[in-house]
Structures are given as structure tokens and as C-alpha cells.
Amino acid sequence: MRLLETTALLFINISFLFSQDITISGNVEEISSGEKIIGANILEVNSLSGGSTNEYGFYSISLPVGEINLVVSYVGFQSDTIQFNSSTDTVINVRLSRAVLLDELVVKAEKANRIEEESQMSRNEIPVEQIKKLPAFLGETDVLKTLQLMPGVQSGAEGTSGIFVRGGSIDQNLILVDGVPIYNPTHVLGIFSSFNSDAIKNVSITKGGFPARYGGRLSSVVEVNMKDGHLNEFHGSGQIGLISSKLLLEGPIIPEKSSFLVSMRRSYIDIIGRPIAKAVQSGNQGKVLPTAFFHDLNAKANYELNDRHRLVFSGYYGADHYGVKYNERYEDGSNEATDARVKWGNYIGSLNWNHRMSSKMFANTTLTYSRYRLNNDVLHSYEEEDFEEHFNSLYYSGITDMGLKYSVDYLPGGGHSLKFGTQWTQHTYSPGALTFDLKFEDEVDKRDYLQNKIQSLESAFYVEDDMDFGRFKMNAGVHYSQFFTDGEFYHSLQPRLGMRYLISGGWALKGSYARMAQYVNLLTNESLSLPTDLWVPATGRIGPQASWQVAAGTAKTLWDDYEISLEGYYKKMNNVLSYKPGVSFILGADTDWQDKITQGNGWSYGLEFLFQKKFGKTTGWVAYTLSWNKRQFEGINRGKIFPFKYDRRHDLSLVISHELSKKWSFSGAWIYGTGNAYSIPDANFSFPANVYPGPYDYSVYSEKNNYRMSDYHRLDISFKKTKQKKRIESTWTFGAYNTYFRKNPFFIMQDYDGKLKEVAILPVIPYVSWGFTF
């Protein structure tokens, strides 16, 4: 840490090498709440110099001495113009108010942030207000489901929130909540994400051309930044839906200096489902009582010590309970009972110290904590007068991280914007413990299959420079990571490069190159993010995953309000993981997990097209992806290359939101995708009990993933009615998921005659919800 601070001071002392100009710096905030605005644009009209705010709302630009004309803008807010003369470094804090949609001049004046101006490519940012307008599954607005509608981002199975980015696996996405990794960001077996949209300030996804400050995953970085809380007034919002309700409260602790935010959410499928289940089951017949609910809590507090120092605490807790109870008492007096439960959840927290070291340098120090836990418990009993049978199995696993991050933004001027820093994370893995407890009459058998806890230390150092040379912009950097585990030491030097060149007509040509390394892996069955998944490290036997990716494309802002981009990419992945054939998570519980794994290579390449409008009465986008996704493992498919499960040739999303009037609005989304790859046996054999090795069922596969499910498509719609009273705004939302009842396949059944049947689980699902803000 002291070495980095010394380096930072050295940068200050040599800044004259870049420029002798004065520095204008400060924060950009929302005028009423005091929320720091991420990515606001600052443009000096006379010199056409500019910059943008970082993730903490801080900006700094170097300008010539004399008359200064600043235009500060952000999508969805009214621009602010500040004119003054200065010959010394000056601090200018800016507060923006939300734009008035009816004022067309205001809408056009704020378009300083143009896609062709940015050196970054393969990145999508969706305004939270736009996310809230889109159709929601059962009325629950979902961030990850919205990201699935972006080019290059695919969904998993029907109804799930997991994302697969540019051919990657689900564990290759680095998902950050206020800078802290979250390992399972979903609820109810992946149907809902862990993010309450009411508490979110900013959402973005980066799919390639990764800046050097990111590392640890191969495919994407999803950044979710929570609101800080209103600095001046007490406010709240909430929603009551068919399966869940939520409440958010925010306000000042000390006006203009400190604020808080608390957001709570709970589903009540169990509360509704249990009385119904009891009502349809009567007498002494068996009773099945389902349990399926989730709850989560977000909390945040910040305190401005002075104009240079700020402390921010952020925390999240979320948990799921999923299971079923069965009990039946027979006429002979015997009783049979089963209680199966799955519980999993995340705890994450962070403490940030924002430090403005000078007008050109901003530092942030963060302590992080992240924990994921899973318990899978099955209890079965059968009792007679003189006989008792009892069986209990308990499986648990998890991962815990404790980390420290230190980063510096240094803006010396002369067209340079530097970022450098370090990250340290202590991982503790619980790679599974399975306990069987069996009692049959007088026989008792208890077995424990324990996997020892593993610890590893991951560290990284990075530096990057965003350089502006007029028509040519470049972001160049290097990320160096180290990983200590299981007596092994791995390290990786990862160069990163992103470029943009403006040609005639205002079009931007962009290109990028990035190397990535991943030391933490998820063992999964390539289907749902089921709670049998297991996080494990690279070890002496399991090497780290690695990739390199190149991308090229073009982008332009059309007619001030529209953006168009076209990108092509190629990605090569090494040491990707898969279970060996015939191996499952539970089978062979006494076997080391490393013996169940094989590693191989992956390839992904394709084209992505996006045409979108982010702001105005009518918003939406058209997103199309043409892609190929392949895998190769020595012990799978006889070593031949095969299509990955989520190899989809075509993905198309058409999304629109429109304000019909001051009270009514409409939104719709139509989604199309090529069917998932699936393995179908060419022949099935059944050995009877009297024939070796019977009784046994055996299937023969000629190729892995040799079959394609039917193409996937559906239409979701939503209508909203908003009514403003004196202090409360209420909103009724009506909509439907899968409006025209497309029977999209969830899995495939095959009988012994070879006939296939695709099984759909989600029909048309109407919903209604009521929300309020005050």
C-alpha cells in the first residue's frame, strides 16, 4: 500500500511532463438526492477537451488558462452549462436534474455521450429506468433477464436468469455488487436474480476488450452499483406482486453529509401454496407440502467526512429455501415421512474509503467479504409397530472470500487518463461434505465423505492508460495476476488493448485484444444453476482456465438519439472444465472431486448487431447475434470437437417501450433463439437381472450434443398505469409472459422405441402487481 501511495505521489510530481494546463475537478451528483452519477460526461466547448466521472462520481480534466465553457451531461438528465475564467486549479461540483421529456431541445442537448467517442467496445449499459419499463416474469423486474436481451448474451434454460456470454460458461462471468463478487446471483433455482431493481443505480456488462483493472474471469464483467440513499429527504417505494413483495426506504442521517438505504424483498409461494396443498389433500392419504421461497436484504450507508474523504458501507444478504414434505399414515398404523430441503444463500459486504488526493488524483480503498453456502438435506423414515427404517443424507459446500482492493485514478492531462491498483483475495473453499445415516431394523450404518477445506491466495496488479489523440483513442494496459494454492504457484501476464479511430461521416472503427485467466471454477452439469454446483480452485492437478479474444467493429450515433454498432469477435479458451462421462456430483461421493474432472479447449466466434434508443418517450433496441460455440475434451466424444450445449446459431431480441400518455405506458419484448444442443442416444439396451451385468440400462451415443431442440421464441408484454396523488405515486402493472403460449422445450424424454418428446414447463403466465413511491 505504501509503495502504491509513493508511486501516486511520484505521478503528481512528474505531471508537468504531460501538461502545464490548469485542472478542473469535482463531483457530479443528482440535484435532489445527492446520488453520485457514474459516467456523466464533461465537455469543454472551446478546446473540445473532456472526460467522464468514475464509479464514485469524480471527474478531472486539464484545460488551458482562460475562458472555460463546461457542458455536463448524462442520459436522462438535463445538461448543465458552466462558464467562468480561471488561471488556477478549480473544484467545480455539479448537480444535474432529471430531464423534462416534453422539451425536445433538452433531449437533444444532452447527447454529449456518443458511442463513437469511446475507446471501449463490447460494453452495454442499460439505464435502470428503462429496465423497470420492460415486461417482467411474474411481475418481478429482473436485471439479468434484461441483460439476456443484449447481443452476445444468451440465457440458459427456460425461465432462468443465468447468462452465457460469447460462448463462455456460467462461472466465467464476474458479477460485482458495489465491487464485491457474488457467486450465485439467482433465486428459486435460477428463475430470479438476486438484484432488487428499486435499489440499483447503474448496470453494465463488458463482454470483451476488458480494461486492465478487471480480471479473474474469462467471459464478462457485470457491474451492479447500488443507490447511496437520498441525502436530503426521506423516501420509499414498494411493490406487491403475485409471488413476491418488496420495500425500499432511504433518507438522510445527517442532511447533505450522510444517508442510508434499506431494501427488503420476500416471495410467498410457500404461504400461498401450503393452504392450497392442504385443501386438495384430505383424510389419511399422503400429504405433500411444498416449500419454495426466497428473501433478500440490501443495506447501504455513506458518510462524507469532508470534501476529500468519504466512507461507504454496502451489504447484501439473500437466501433460498426449496423443498417438499411428505407424510402418509397407512390403515395398518404404519407411517412414512420424507423431508427434503435445499438451502443456499449469499452474504456480501464492503467498506469503501474514497480519498481525493489532489485535483488530478482519486484513490479508493475497499475491504470486501463474500460468502456462499449450500445445504442439501434429505430425511426419510418408515415406522411400524416393531420395525423402523430411517435414512438421512446431508450435503453442504461453499466458498468464502476476504479481500482488499486499492485503486487510483490519475488524470495528468495531455490526453491521458491513468488507472492503477492492486487486489488481494483470500479464498476458502468447502468442496463438499456428504453424510449418510442409515438405520434398518437393528442395523445402523453411518458414513462421512468429507472433502478437506482448501485455501488459496489470489492477487493482481494492473495499470492502464486511456489516451486521446483526437481522431484516434486507445486504452492500453496490463493485468498481472498471481495464485497460490495446494502448494502450487500460478501467474499470468495479461495485456489489454482497445482502440478507436474516427473516419468520415462520424463513424468509429474499433478493435480490441484481451488475455484473461481464471483460477476459481464452478463444477456444473451444464444445465440449470442447480444447487449441486460446486466452486473449486485451480490446483496442482487442475490448471487455471485461460483465454484470448480479439474483436473489431464499427459504431455511430444516428439522428442524435439512436446508436448502432456491429462487432465481430473470436475467442479461444484453454483448460475449460467438464465432468468426465458417466460421472455425477453425488455418485462416487468417496472420490476426490479432481478425479471426476477433465479439461479441454473451447472456441467461440460470431457477429453482434445492436440498434438502440435509450431515452425519450419511445425506447428500445434490436439485438442480433450470429455465433458458433465449440468444445473439445480428450475423454469426451472420442476426443472430437462438438457443439457446446448453448451453441446457438441465431439469437434475436426486439424490445420496445412507449409512453402512451401521462398515465399509461406499454412495453414488449419478442425473443428468438436457435434450439440448444442436446445428446440423444442412438440405441438403448436393458439387461435383466439374470444377465450380466444386469439389472442395468445402457445407452449408446454416436456423438455428443447430436440433436437440436426446437427453436425458442416467445412474446412478453406489459402495460403500466401510473397515478400521481399528493405525496404518493401508485403504479398498476399488467402483463403476460409467453403471451401466445409457445411450448418452448425445457428437456427431452425418449422411450425405448426411440420416440422423442420435448417437454415444456412454462405456459402463458399473466401477472399483475401494484407499486408505490413516496
Side-chain angles (χ1 to χ4, degrees):
M1 184 78 71
R2 187 172 298 277
L3 177 61
L4 282 171
E5 291 180 349
T6 303
T7 305
L9 293 174
L10 179 62
F11 273 118
I12 295 175
N13 293 331
I14 65 173
S15 61
F16 69 88
L17 294 176
F18 289 100
S19 173
Q20 293 287 343
D21 296 337
I22 63 172
T23 299
I24 309 299
S25 62
N27 295 316
V28 179
E29 304 172 346
E30 202 272 326
I31 190 169
S32 62
S33 67
E35 286 276 355
K36 300 296 187 291
I37 298 178
I38 302 171
N41 289 275
I42 298 89
L43 175 67
E44 205 287 312
V45 176
N46 300 321
S47 63
L48 295 181
S49 299
S52 61
T53 56
N54 64 11
E55 58 266 42
Y56 307 103
F58 173 79
Y59 77 93
S60 175
I61 57 175
S62 295
L63 299 171
V65 173
E67 182 180 348
I68 296 173
N69 187 356
L70 289 182
V71 176
V72 184
S73 63
Y74 184 68
V75 173
F77 288 76
Q78 295 185 37
S79 303
D80 192 6
T81 302
I82 304 169
Q83 295 178 328
F84 59 97
N85 284 281
S86 182
S87 59
T88 61
D89 292 351
T90 306
V91 175
I92 302 291
N93 293 320
V94 182
R95 290 191 165 185
L96 301 181
S97 58
R98 294 194 175 271
V100 180
L101 297 180
L102 296 180
D103 190 344
E104 293 297 328
L105 293 177
V106 170
V107 172
K108 292 183 178 180
E110 69 184 41
K111 298 299 177 181
N113 181 23
R114 304 172 76 91
I115 189 172
E116 63 269 24
E117 294 292 336
E118 303 170 359
S119 59
Q120 176 68 54
M121 66 183 304
S122 305
R123 184 177 186 272
N124 299 119
E125 182 174 345
I126 308 174
V128 174
E129 292 302 319
Q130 189 175 21
I131 294 175
K132 292 180 179 180
K133 293 177 182 179
L134 298 181
F137 183 73
L138 290 171
E140 188 66 39
T141 303
D142 196 293
V143 171
L144 292 184
K145 277 192 171 61
T146 303
L147 293 180
Q148 291 174 359
L149 303 176
M150 291 285 103
V153 184
Q154 297 178 344
S155 62
E158 170 77 287
T160 62
S161 293
I163 58 174
F164 299 81
V165 180
R166 288 188 173 178
S169 303
I170 198 168
D171 66 318
Q172 294 176 355
N173 305 304
L174 178 62
I175 300 179
L176 301 172
V177 181
D178 282 339
V180 184
I182 184 171
Y183 282 95
N184 189 342
T186 61
H187 287 304
V188 195
L189 300 178
I191 294 178
F192 299 106
S193 75
S194 300
F195 309 120
N196 182 350
S197 59
D198 289 348
I200 294 174
K201 174 168 61 177
N202 176 273
V203 179
S204 67
I205 182 170
T206 304
K207 303 168 291 185
F210 303 98
R213 58 188 178 274
Y214 300 121
R217 299 294 189 273
L218 301 189
S219 293
S220 77
V221 178
V222 177
E223 294 180 279
V224 180
N225 293 294
M226 313 305 292
K227 292 179 179 178
D228 295 324
H230 208 292
L231 273 173
N232 301 304
E233 301 172 350
F234 180 78
H235 288 276
S237 64
Q239 178 178 291
I240 300 174
L242 292 178
I243 65 166
S244 66
S245 293
K246 55 188 177 182
L247 176 67
L248 179 144
L249 301 172
E250 60 176 328
I253 300 174
I254 302 175
E256 295 290 335
K257 285 187 71 71
S258 178
S259 65
F260 77 94
L261 179 143
V262 177
S263 172
M264 299 160 282
R265 183 172 57 159
R266 192 194 192 280
S267 69
Y268 30 76
I269 305 173
D270 57 323
I271 299 175
I272 298 174
R274 284 199 166 218
I276 296 175
K278 288 181 179 180
V280 298
Q281 302 174 86
S282 60
N284 294 325
Q285 70 180 36
K287 294 184 179 180
V288 179
L289 300 178
T291 298
F293 71 93
F294 68 85
H295 52 91
D296 51 33
L297 171 70
N298 287 93
K300 197 166 184 178
N302 69 90
Y303 181 69
E304 293 192 9
L305 303 174
N306 52 45
D307 61 350
R308 287 181 174 266
H309 300 274
R310 181 171 177 250
L311 293 176
V312 181
F313 165 78
S314 177
Y316 168 84
Y317 164 69
D320 281 72
H321 301 259
Y322 180 80
V324 62
K325 286 185 177 182
Y326 170 80
N327 184 69
E328 183 167 1
R329 182 170 294 277
Y330 300 100
E331 294 180 358
D332 60 2
S334 60
N335 185 76
E336 184 176 10
T338 298
D339 186 1
R341 299 184 300 270
V342 181
K343 299 179 182 179
W344 70 95
N346 293 278
Y347 300 80
I348 66 173
S350 66
L351 180 62
N352 288 268
W353 170 34
N354 303 156
H355 176 202
R356 183 162 61 86
M357 303 174 69
S358 72
S359 60
K360 297 185 177 184
M361 185 168 289
F362 181 92
N364 183 67
T365 305
T366 308
L367 293 172
T368 66
Y369 175 82
S370 179
R371 192 188 83 164
Y372 171 68
R373 283 293 182 270
L374 162 71
N375 289 315
N376 191 332
D377 190 7
V378 178
L379 174 64
H380 176 81
S381 65
Y382 177 80
E383 297 178 356
E384 294 181 0
E385 184 176 348
D386 55 354
F387 174 84
E388 179 181 351
E389 178 183 320
H390 170 88
F391 171 79
N392 182 34
S393 70
L394 173 64
Y395 172 81
Y396 65 90
S397 69
I399 181 172
T400 301
D401 288 353
M402 297 191 68
L404 172 65
K405 299 195 294 185
Y406 183 75
S407 62
V408 175
D409 289 17
Y410 175 54
L411 300 105
H416 293 267
S417 176
L418 289 166
K419 294 179 184 289
F420 55 93
T422 182
Q423 305 168 5
W424 300 79
T425 304
Q426 175 74 48
H427 302 286
T428 302
Y429 313 84
S430 299
L434 184 62
T435 299
F436 288 104
D437 185 1
L438 175 64
K439 181 179 180 181
F440 183 77
E441 294 183 335
D442 295 330
E443 297 182 10
V444 177
D445 186 12
K446 184 175 182 179
R447 302 182 186 182
D448 295 319
Y449 301 105
L450 303 178
Q451 305 274 3
N452 295 328
K453 287 188 176 181
I454 305 173
Q455 289 192 335
S456 62
L457 177 63
E458 184 175 0
S459 62
F461 305 88
Y462 66 86
V463 60
E464 64 179 85
D465 187 4
D466 201 57
M467 295 164 273
D468 189 349
F469 305 110
R471 286 183 174 270
F472 180 70
K473 267 189 176 183
M474 178 172 65
N475 183 290
V478 63
H479 183 100
Y480 176 65
S481 62
Q482 299 173 308
F483 193 74
F484 303 86
T485 181
D486 195 32
E488 292 289 329
F489 170 65
Y490 293 106
H491 64 103
S492 174
L493 187 66
Q494 304 157 38
R496 314 284 176 79
L497 180 65
M499 298 176 290
R500 180 230 67 182
Y501 184 75
L502 286 177
I503 60 176
S504 60
W507 287 87
L509 299 179
K510 297 187 177 185
S512 67
Y513 172 83
R515 282 190 175 272
M516 306 293 285
Q518 179 170 332
Y519 305 102
V520 181
N521 310 295
L522 177 66
L523 304 186
T524 180
N525 54 12
E526 295 184 1
S527 57
L528 295 174
S529 54
L530 293 171
T532 54
D533 295 339
L534 175 66
W535 290 94
V536 293
T539 66
R541 295 171 55 188
I542 305 297
Q545 299 184 65
S547 73
W548 61 266
Q549 181 182 171
V550 292
T554 184
K556 179 178 171 56
T557 300
L558 301 174
W559 314 300
D560 290 328
D561 293 332
Y562 298 84
E563 292 179 354
I564 186 171
S565 64
L566 177 66
E567 293 185 16
Y569 69 91
Y570 181 91
K571 180 164 66 174
K572 174 67 175 5
M573 297 170 282
N574 299 320
N575 285 338
V576 293
L577 275 70
S578 177
Y579 277 118
K580 294 178 180 178
V583 175
S584 70
F585 190 76
I586 298 298
L587 292 178
D590 57 343
T591 304
D592 190 332
W593 62 268
Q594 297 177 90
D595 296 327
K596 304 177 182 180
I597 304 305
T598 184
Q599 293 189 277
N601 299 317
W603 298 265
S604 177
Y605 47 92
L607 292 171
E608 298 172 3
F609 170 79
L610 179 64
F611 180 71
Q612 66 175 332
K613 184 175 186 288
K614 290 184 178 180
F615 188 68
K617 283 189 174 183
T618 303
T619 61
W621 63 85
V622 178
Y624 171 70
T625 305
L626 172 67
S627 63
W628 288 262
N629 186 2
K630 302 174 182 179
R631 293 285 193 273
Q632 183 181 33
F633 299 90
E634 183 177 347
I636 299 177
N637 201 43
R638 299 184 298 280
K640 296 191 298 183
I641 297 175
F642 61 89
F644 187 49
K645 180 180 179 67
Y646 301 109
D647 171 53
R648 296 180 189 159
R649 200 66 63 242
H650 307 283
D651 261 295
L652 175 66
S653 299
L654 306 177
V655 180
I656 187 170
S657 298
H658 179 67
E659 295 184 8
L660 302 172
S661 66
K662 290 184 178 181
K663 291 185 177 181
W664 284 94
S665 63
F666 164 80
S667 64
W670 186 75
I671 302 139
Y672 171 84
T674 304
N676 287 342
Y678 201 86
S679 295
I680 295 296
D682 297 278
N684 296 297
F685 301 94
S686 181
F687 296 90
N690 60 344
V691 177
Y692 180 82
Y696 185 70
D697 294 331
Y698 182 73
S699 299
V700 177
Y701 297 83
S702 60
E703 300 284 342
K704 183 173 176 62
N705 291 339
N706 56 355
Y707 179 82
R708 288 281 177 179
M709 291 184 177
S710 298
D711 291 349
Y712 181 98
H713 55 88
R714 75 171 197 269
L715 173 67
D716 304 337
I717 62 171
S718 174
F719 290 90
K720 289 189 177 183
K721 182 182 180 181
T722 302
K723 186 175 183 179
Q724 180 68 55
K725 298 183 179 180
K726 288 184 178 181
R727 298 187 60 183
I728 298 179
E729 180 184 270
S730 66
T731 302
W732 282 97
T733 303
F734 311 89
Y737 176 92
N738 195 11
T739 306
Y740 53 80
F741 201 172
R742 163 69 176 177
K743 294 182 179 180
N744 289 303
F746 185 72
F747 65 92
I748 295 177
M749 297 178 62
Q750 184 180 27
D751 59 26
Y752 282 100
D753 295 329
K755 294 181 180 179
L756 302 178
K757 180 182 180 182
E758 294 182 337
V759 179
I761 63 169
L762 293 180
V764 54
I765 303 177
Y767 62 86
V768 60
S769 65
W770 176 69
F772 61 90
T773 59
F774 61 88

